[in-house]
Amino acid sequence: QVQLVESGGGSVQAGGSLRLSCVVSDNAVGRYCMAWFRQDPGKEREGVAVVDTSDKTTYADSVKGRFTIAKDSAKNAVTLQMNNLKPEDTSMYFCAAGLCLFSTMGQVPLPRHYSFWGQGTQVTVSS
């Protein structure tokens, strides 16, 4: 069972930056696709970014150019650097691990393809 623990959420003003971190057990960072999702109350969870086992990254259009996902294999962690934050980025952010599927390579991650999830960390951006 892969375990994921997120940290780094908080409150920031629009235009500011936050860095989310997800520590992963069992050296899973090198074996799985690692993704970040976000979810608002009453809404579906949406994919934000993914990094695959070849370090290829894919981003949702809404965060391209502002967010960067990266793996830190030495620390068994995956990070999400969020710059130029906007109020609409306010959400609960989740880290997830799942098998990399050929059919989904290069696509924004979908929750159904991910088996292991963290507990989430809240990001709030004020205008």
Side-chain angles (χ1 to χ4, degrees), residues 11-122:
S11 297
V12 65
Q13 289 190 328
S17 297
L18 283 174
R19 182 181 178 91
L20 306 184
S21 181
C22 174
V23 177
V24 188
S25 68
D26 299 333
N27 296 315
V29 168
R31 297 185 286 116
Y32 290 93
C33 273
M34 301 300 303
W36 286 94
F37 293 82
R38 62 189 182 188
Q39 186 174 23
D40 296 332
K43 295 187 178 180
E44 293 186 356
R45 194 165 294 188
E46 65 170 350
V48 174
V50 58
V51 54
D52 68 18
T53 51
S54 299
D55 291 340
K56 176 180 169 59
T57 58
T58 304
Y59 297 91
D61 287 343
S62 59
V63 306
K64 278 181 182 176
R66 300 188 299 121
F67 290 12
T68 303
I69 188 171
K71 289 189 292 187
D72 186 340
S73 297
K75 296 181 180 180
N76 292 319
V78 59
T79 59
L80 185 69
Q81 178 67 43
M82 306 186 294
N83 299 327
N84 190 21
L85 282 160
K86 303 176 180 181
E88 52 263 42
D89 294 318
T90 295
S91 192
M92 182 71 79
Y93 284 73
F94 297 88
C95 176
L99 293 175
C100 292
L101 304 175
F102 180 79
S103 60
T104 63
M105 301 295 274
Q107 297 179 12
V108 175
L110 295 174
R112 65 176 182 267
H113 295 139
Y114 289 78
S115 302
F116 306 105
W117 294 85
Q119 80 288 352
T121 186
Q122 178 68 36

